[in-house]
Amino acid sequence: MGRHYALLHNPPRGTPSRILSLRLHRSFHLPPASRRVRRAPGPSTASVARLIEPRAIRNAAGGLRHATTQSHAAVSAQEIALIEQLVRWSRSRDLTNTAANSHGAQQSADNVGAQDVRQPNEPVSGANPEDQLADPFRLALFALRARDTRKLLLQLRRITRMPQEQLQHAVATLPRTTFTEFFRSLDPYQVLREVDPAQRAFIPPGMFSMLDMDSVVDDNGVRRIYGQLLQGMLVLMSALKDSGQYLHMDEYNCLMRCAGAASDPAGAKFIWREMDTSNTTIWRQSQAYTEFMAARFLTEALYTNYDKMRRLVQPRNLHRSRLRLANTRVYRLDRMRLNLRRSRFKFGLNKDVKHAEDVMRYLRNQGPPMRLFSRILKNGHGVTERLLCTVMVALGRTGSLRAIGSKILEAYFGISMSRLTYDEPRAVAGAAAASQIELRRVNYRIRPSVGLMRAVVETYGSNGEISVAFQLIDHISNSYAIPIPFGVWDDLLEWTYIMSSPPTSTTWKLAGMYSKVPSGQAVQMIWNAMTSPPYSIKPDFKQYSILIRSFLGRSMIDDALPYMRETVKLYEAKCQEYEEAVFRYTQHMRDGVNTSQVVRAYERAWFRKQYMWYDIHRCCRAVLLKCPRAGNLWSTRFPNPMIPGFIKEFGAFLTNPIEFRTRTGDIALRDPALETFRTTGGRDVVMDVPMRQKQVWVHQRVKRRKMLLESSHSFAKQKASELDPLALLLHDFRKKSNRPLVRRHPVWEPAFDDTPAPQFHGDDDDDV
C-alpha cells in the first residue's frame, strides 16, 4: 500500500509480544503531516446561497483500508487518554526531526494509564491551553464519551472548518471505530430526539413569516440543522475516503438518512453511487435498500419536515403519468398551482432545478420505485415489513394504488381487496362519494402490525382515499387484534381535514375527481370514532386545532368556541411549563453549569409555547373574518354584539390593531395594552413558475415580499447572557440585565444557525 496505518483495536488473547510491539511501533511512526492528499470540500468552497452539493465532491482514488467491522458502544478512558496524547504529540513535533520526536511520543504513550484520564477543563503540562480549547476532535471525543449529541454537533461544525492538512492528519491518527461512533451518535433521528427544538411540529409558511423563523428553516422549508448535519457528514466521508479508508454499511445508511432529513433525493442517489466507487455494493442488504428508497422517495415524515401538503398527490402530477386530463382542466390546475405558490414562498420546491418545481413532481413516475423493488426481489434480499411499507409509500407518490393492492397487500400481508364501489354517483358536482371495499383475509407471508397501519394511512390518505384507509386500518385492527395507536388516528384526522378543505378539495374538483373529496362532516366523524369506545383516544392540542379549523371552514363558529377554550387551557399549561424551564435555565447559567438537558427543555418549551400561540392566533383571525357583515352575505349565528366579548376573551392572541367586519364597514381597534408587531425590513422571494399557455411552456415570474416582524414571539437569535430572567419570561429582548451572568471564556459562536435558543456562556468553551 505504501502507507502506514494505526491499528489501535484490542488484539485477540494470546497474541505474541513481538506482534504487539510491531503494531505499537507502527502506531506512533506515522507519515509526515505534509504529505500530499486530496482536499476535501469544506464550507469555504461551498456556496453561501445553498447547502453543499453532494455531487461536487471528488471521489477518492486511494486503496482500501481493511479494519474491523465491530465498534464499541462508547470510548473507554484509556482510549481517550491515548488519543489525547497522540493529538498533542502530532502538534508539538517538528516536521524536520520526525524520528526523534516520534521516539518521545512512543515513550510518553507507554506511560499512559487509567489514572491519566483528564477532564475537558483540566490543563495539560507542556501544551498551549488555547490550542487545546480550539481542538474540535478532542472536545468531540469528550462529548462522545458523555453521549451529548448537542456538543458533538457543535464540534462537527468546527471539524468541517479545520485546515485540510490538520483534518487529514487527525483522520490518519484516530482509531477507525471513533468515526463509526461519530456517525452513530449523529444520526438524524438521534438529533431529532436530543437537539431539534421543533421536534415533530410542522412549520407552515405563515408561521415562518410572522414569527421570523429564518434561523430555524431555510427558504425551502427545510430545517437548517439537518442541512448542516449533511454537510458535515459529507466532509467526514470525503476525508475518510481520501485517507484510503472505506465506509461501513451502517455509515452509508446514516448518510442516506442525513440526505433524507435534508430533503435531498439527489444527495441520496450520490451516496448510493459512492458505494460503486468503493466496491462495497456486495454489502447491500434489505436495510440498505430500505434506507435508500426512503431517502430517494421521501417516504418518512421527517424527510418532508412533517408537511403533509408536500406529500400530497396532486391531480396535475397524475396527468400523462397515470391518466390524461383535458386541456382546459390542465390550464385551470396550472393557474391553481401558480396562485398557491405565491402564498407558500419556496416551501417544498426541488432544489436541483432553477425554476419552481414541487419536489413531488420529481417523484411522480412509477418506473424508479418499481424497478428498484424488482431488483431487490431478483437479488434475493430478505423482504421485511419496513421495506414493504416503504415501497407502498413510494408507489403511493405515483398514484399506483392497484399495484399496491395486488403486489404488496395481497401478496405479502394477506389482505385481498375487491373492486371499489361508490355509494353516490361521481358525476354529482361537490358530492362526497364514500368508497366501499370488500376485504378478505387470506394466507399472509408477513403478519401485519402498526407499521402497516401507518403506511396505509399515508398511502391512501395522500391519494384522497380516506374511506379506504379507514376501512383498511379497521380491518387490520379487528383481524389481528392490534389496537389503533394515537399516531395513526392523528394522521388519519389530518389527512381527512386536508382533503375536505380548500385548496386541496378545489384541485380535485377542477380535475373532475369528486370522489376524492370527503364530505364536510368527515373530520367530525373521524373525531367521534377516535374519542368514543372502544378506542377512547384523548386528543391533544393538534387534534383540537384540526377540529376547530374544520368548524371554522364551514362557518360553525358557535361549535368551534368550546374547543378554542380547551386549547387556551392547554396553552396556559404550556406557559407554566415554560416559566419553570426559564427559571432552571437561568439558575444554571448564573451558577456556570451548562447542561444540555436543561437547554433542551428550555428550547422545546419555548418553541411549543410560540407554536401554540400562533395556532390559536390563526383561529381567532378566522373567527373575526367570518363575522356577519351586511345583509345575508354571511350566514352565521355569531352576532356582532358578541365581538367585544370575543376580543376580551381572546385578546392575548390578537395582534394590534384588531380588525373585524361589521354591517357598516371594517373596523380597526388599537389597544395600547396589546403588543404591536413592528416591521423591521424584508426581502423579495422571486420564483419562475412554469406555465403552459397556448400549447407553449413559459415561465411566469412570481414575486412575494417576506416581511421581517419584530415581536416577543420572534425566533430571531438573541444573547440571553445579557438578559434578565424577567425579560426571558416576557421575551422582551430590549431589556438588559444590570447583573451580568457568569462568563469564564470569551463569547463563542452558536452551535448551529437553526436553533431558536439564545446564546449563553457556561463553564467550557465547547458547551452549547
Side-chain angles (χ1 to χ4, degrees):
M1 299 294 293
R3 299 180 181 179
H4 302 278
Y5 298 106
L7 301 178
L8 299 179
H9 61 275
N10 296 329
R13 181 177 300 178
T15 304
S17 59
R18 58 185 182 86
I19 300 299
L20 296 177
S21 177
L22 179 61
R23 289 181 175 177
L24 193 61
H25 178 75
R26 290 180 177 179
S27 299
F28 295 99
H29 288 76
L30 300 175
S34 59
R35 64 180 181 184
R36 299 182 59 87
V37 294
R38 294 197 176 192
R39 181 175 180 83
S44 59
T45 60
S47 176
V48 181
R50 56 162 300 177
L51 301 175
I52 186 172
E53 289 281 352
R55 294 172 300 279
I57 297 180
R58 294 173 295 180
N59 299 331
L64 299 179
R65 175 186 176 186
H66 300 279
T68 176
T69 57
Q70 299 179 354
S71 59
H72 302 285
V75 183
S76 63
Q78 295 182 359
E79 291 179 349
I80 289 288
L82 181 58
I83 294 168
E84 181 182 353
Q85 293 288 342
L86 288 174
V87 173
R88 290 201 310 272
W89 164 75
S90 63
R91 289 176 177 174
S92 60
R93 71 174 185 174
D94 188 5
L95 296 179
T96 60
N97 195 7
T98 305
N101 288 334
S102 299
H103 178 71
Q106 171 78 24
Q107 182 178 1
S108 62
D110 292 336
N111 298 327
V112 174
Q115 68 277 7
D116 195 30
V117 180
R118 299 181 178 88
Q119 299 300 323
N121 296 331
E122 183 179 351
V124 181
S125 59
N128 190 357
E130 296 182 358
D131 293 341
Q132 288 185 356
L133 292 177
D135 182 12
F137 272 106
R138 174 179 175 271
L139 301 179
L141 289 172
F142 283 106
L144 184 64
R145 182 182 181 186
R147 299 184 182 275
D148 196 331
T149 308
R150 178 182 299 273
K151 297 180 181 180
L152 187 59
L153 190 59
L154 168 62
Q155 302 309 322
L156 178 65
R157 285 196 60 196
R158 295 183 175 180
I159 288 173
T160 58
R161 298 178 180 178
M162 290 176 60
Q164 183 63 28
E165 183 177 351
Q166 185 179 359
L167 177 61
Q168 289 292 335
H169 187 66
V171 170
T173 304
L174 295 177
R176 182 62 180 85
T177 55
T178 303
F179 293 94
T180 303
E181 292 299 326
F182 282 166
F183 281 90
R184 182 177 301 175
S185 301
L186 291 175
D187 189 88
Y189 286 97
Q190 182 72 14
V191 174
L192 175 67
R193 290 188 297 267
E194 301 293 337
V195 182
D196 191 359
Q199 289 186 306
R200 291 173 172 80
F202 160 56
I203 301 175
M207 182 180 179
F208 168 76
S209 178
M210 186 173 185
L211 302 186
D212 191 11
M213 301 189 68
D214 265 335
S215 61
V216 182
V217 297
D218 56 11
D219 289 342
N220 294 91
V222 179
R223 302 183 190 185
R224 296 183 183 275
I225 184 174
Y226 299 110
Q228 296 172 1
L229 176 63
L230 175 62
Q231 178 181 355
M233 289 297 196
L234 289 176
V235 171
L236 280 182
M237 182 190 74
S238 178
L240 288 172
K241 291 177 67 68
D242 288 345
S243 63
Q245 305 181 37
Y246 62 89
L247 272 68
H248 302 160
M249 186 53 61
D250 291 341
E251 295 168 347
Y252 277 116
N253 293 339
C254 179
L255 284 172
M256 285 185 284
R257 284 193 291 269
C258 291
S263 296
D264 192 356
K269 292 176 61 177
F270 166 78
I271 297 171
W272 185 258
R273 291 170 181 171
E274 276 293 309
M275 300 175 66
D276 298 331
T277 61
S278 302
N279 297 326
T280 56
T281 55
I282 58 175
W283 294 351
R284 292 175 179 172
Q285 299 297 331
S286 301
Q287 184 181 1
Y289 280 99
T290 303
E291 297 296 345
F292 172 65
M293 291 193 68
R296 169 65 175 82
F297 303 105
L298 305 178
T299 62
E300 299 292 335
L302 173 63
Y303 299 169
T304 55
N305 291 267
Y306 302 96
D307 185 5
K308 284 185 170 55
M309 293 298 295
R310 303 185 202 181
R311 311 198 295 265
L312 181 67
V313 177
Q314 297 285 350
R316 180 64 179 88
N317 297 342
L318 297 178
H319 175 58
R320 301 188 66 179
S321 63
R322 304 299 303 172
L323 50 88
R324 190 175 185 86
L325 299 174
N327 292 334
T328 56
R329 296 184 185 275
V330 171
Y331 175 76
R332 293 176 182 176
L333 291 174
D334 282 343
R335 296 299 303 179
M336 188 74 177
R337 183 177 58 181
L338 178 66
N339 296 332
L340 292 177
R341 182 47 55 191
R342 288 193 176 99
S343 61
R344 291 182 60 84
F345 298 109
K346 293 184 178 181
F347 276 46
L349 292 184
N350 188 4
K351 295 180 289 187
D352 294 325
V353 295
K354 296 182 179 180
H355 59 270
E357 180 188 52
D358 292 339
V359 69
M360 283 301 130
R361 285 185 62 84
Y362 178 69
L363 311 175
R364 68 184 185 273
N365 294 325
Q366 182 186 7
M370 189 60 70
R371 286 197 304 267
L372 190 58
F373 184 53
S374 301
R375 183 183 304 173
I376 296 173
L377 299 179
K378 182 179 179 180
N379 294 338
H381 297 294
V383 179
T384 61
E385 183 187 15
R386 185 169 181 265
L387 175 61
L388 294 175
C389 293
T390 303
V391 175
M392 280 183 58
V393 179
L395 291 176
R397 300 279 186 263
T398 67
S400 306
L401 300 182
R402 185 176 301 176
I404 293 173
S406 61
K407 297 184 178 181
I408 297 179
L409 290 179
E410 184 173 359
Y412 289 95
F413 294 105
I415 301 176
S416 178
M417 300 175 56
S418 302
R419 186 175 181 179
L420 298 179
T421 59
Y422 299 91
D423 57 0
E424 295 184 13
R426 300 189 184 186
V428 180
S435 304
Q436 300 294 330
I437 58 176
E438 296 181 2
L439 298 173
R440 293 184 300 106
R441 178 177 175 179
V442 297
N443 295 330
Y444 60 85
R445 299 169 59 182
I446 298 178
R447 191 177 189 275
S449 66
V450 176
L452 179 61
M453 289 185 180
R454 296 193 181 98
V456 164
V457 174
E458 178 72 18
T459 301
Y460 289 92
S462 61
N463 283 271
E465 299 291 345
I466 303 298
S467 177
V468 176
F470 179 78
Q471 295 177 62
L472 279 173
I473 63 174
D474 185 70
H475 171 76
I476 296 173
S477 177
N478 296 331
S479 301
Y480 300 96
I482 303 174
I484 303 177
F486 177 81
V488 175
W489 283 113
D490 180 30
D491 290 341
L492 184 62
L493 186 68
E494 189 172 3
W495 277 120
T496 305
Y497 169 73
I498 291 175
M499 289 296 173
S500 61
S501 60
T504 307
S505 60
T506 307
T507 57
W508 289 113
K509 292 176 182 178
L510 290 178
M513 304 178 186
Y514 300 102
S515 62
K516 300 284 189 179
V517 183
S519 62
Q521 297 80 16
V523 175
Q524 192 171 2
M525 293 171 59
I526 298 294
W527 174 277
N528 295 334
M530 176 181 65
T531 56
S532 60
Y535 306 109
S536 301
I537 299 296
K538 184 179 180 181
D540 61 0
F541 182 86
K542 181 181 178 181
Q543 283 75 47
Y544 279 119
S545 176
I546 293 174
L547 185 63
I548 291 170
R549 282 179 284 168
S550 176
F551 282 136
L552 295 179
R554 292 179 288 159
S555 300
M556 301 173 62
I557 300 178
D558 290 343
D559 296 333
L561 285 178
Y563 296 103
M564 292 183 64
R565 296 186 179 97
E566 293 294 330
T567 58
V568 173
K569 294 179 182 179
L570 296 176
Y571 173 75
E572 292 174 352
K574 181 59 65 174
C575 290
Q576 184 178 0
E577 179 184 345
Y578 170 72
E579 292 175 2
E580 296 174 357
V582 165
F583 285 123
R584 289 195 302 269
Y585 175 65
T586 308
Q587 184 65 34
H588 278 71
M589 285 195 301
R590 292 191 181 278
D591 295 341
V593 179
N594 198 343
T595 308
S596 296
Q597 290 79 3
V598 176
V599 179
R600 178 181 60 191
Y602 165 71
E603 288 178 349
R604 292 183 175 177
W606 179 23
F607 180 89
R608 192 62 183 172
K609 170 180 172 292
Q610 307 295 39
Y611 181 87
M612 295 170 70
W613 180 90
Y614 173 79
D615 206 300
I616 300 176
H617 160 74
R618 182 171 56 175
C619 295
C620 293
R621 185 175 56 184
V623 169
L624 294 179
L625 289 176
K626 291 187 176 297
C627 288
R629 184 171 57 176
N632 295 324
L633 294 179
W634 297 83
S635 58
T636 177
R637 296 175 294 172
F638 193 88
N640 280 335
M642 294 183 63
I643 294 180
F646 177 81
I647 294 177
K648 182 179 179 180
E649 184 177 2
F650 297 94
F653 306 98
L654 300 173
T655 56
N656 236 351
I658 303 174
E659 299 179 354
F660 60 94
R661 296 175 178 178
T662 64
R663 296 182 179 180
T664 57
D666 298 341
I667 295 180
L669 300 178
R670 186 175 299 275
D671 189 354
L674 296 180
E675 180 186 11
T676 302
F677 281 61
R678 296 174 296 274
T679 304
T680 60
R683 57 186 176 86
D684 292 331
V685 179
V686 182
M687 297 167 288
D688 293 330
V689 182
M691 295 284 297
R692 190 171 179 83
Q693 297 179 357
K694 298 180 180 180
Q695 306 299 325
V696 178
W697 283 99
V698 297
H699 282 176
Q700 182 73 32
R701 179 63 57 91
V702 175
K703 181 183 295 186
R704 176 72 187 275
R705 184 72 174 175
K706 181 188 181 300
M707 304 303 298
L708 300 180
L709 302 177
E710 180 182 353
S711 67
S712 62
H713 304 281
S714 175
F715 279 83
K717 291 182 294 185
Q718 306 291 342
K719 291 184 178 180
S721 58
E722 302 178 359
L723 301 177
D724 191 81
L726 182 61
L728 284 177
L729 291 174
L730 302 177
H731 274 278
D732 188 1
F733 294 106
R734 296 170 297 175
K735 298 180 181 179
K736 299 294 182 66
S737 174
N738 295 326
R739 178 186 176 186
L741 299 178
V742 177
R743 291 190 181 181
R744 301 188 181 182
H745 295 290
V747 179
W748 44 265
E749 60 185 1
F752 22 78
D753 297 337
D754 63 329
T755 308
Q759 305 176 22
F760 65 95
H761 309 277
D763 317 304
D764 205 0
D765 196 42
D766 63 324
D767 291 333
V768 182

